[in-house]
Amino acid sequence: HPRVSKDYFFSLAGQLEGAGKLREIFALADIALELHSRDAGLHKEVGDMYLKIGKREKALELYRKALEINPKLEEARRAAEKIEKEKNR
């Protein structure tokens, strides 16, 4: 539901991480992205989560989506460029 804030999702994700429930964190992230599909910052943050576990292609996809929504989101641009540069080595 759109009234469920991003902060609430991040709070739940932190609790799940503390409990070692990685699969559930990403299921929750998918729900958050569905509910807040036009939130560039959320796409960037979830991209960071995927990058943290080594899922570089998924992270890159999310950074690109963040930039599609907000081309001025420099953190997403830098993260995407870094992945692309490492990919081309």
Side-chain angles (χ1 to χ4, degrees):
H1 194 279
R3 284 183 268 178
V4 178
S5 73
K6 291 185 312 183
D7 292 336
Y8 182 69
F9 283 111
F10 286 119
S11 173
L12 285 176
Q15 292 173 29
L16 290 168
E17 184 176 25
K21 297 188 178 275
L22 194 60
R23 188 175 326 163
E24 289 84 352
I25 292 171
F26 290 99
L28 182 65
D30 287 343
I31 293 167
L33 289 171
E34 186 175 319
L35 293 176
H36 300 280
S37 63
R38 299 298 303 158
D39 189 312
L42 180 61
H43 281 80
K44 187 260 176 206
E45 293 294 328
V46 175
D48 291 347
M49 291 168 53
Y50 275 100
L51 188 60
K52 187 175 178 181
I53 63 162
K55 301 268 186 181
R56 304 176 78 68
E57 286 300 317
K58 181 66 175 178
L60 182 57
E61 174 186 321
L62 287 159
Y63 294 143
R64 286 178 176 157
K65 180 64 177 176
L67 289 167
E68 179 183 310
I69 296 166
N70 179 1
K72 296 180 181 180
L73 190 58
E74 286 303 315
E75 291 176 345
R77 182 174 316 288
R78 284 191 300 272
E81 287 172 354
K82 183 177 179 185
I83 292 171
E84 289 169 342
K85 188 185 299 182
E86 291 171 357
K87 217 166 69 166
N88 293 329
R89 283 187 188 172

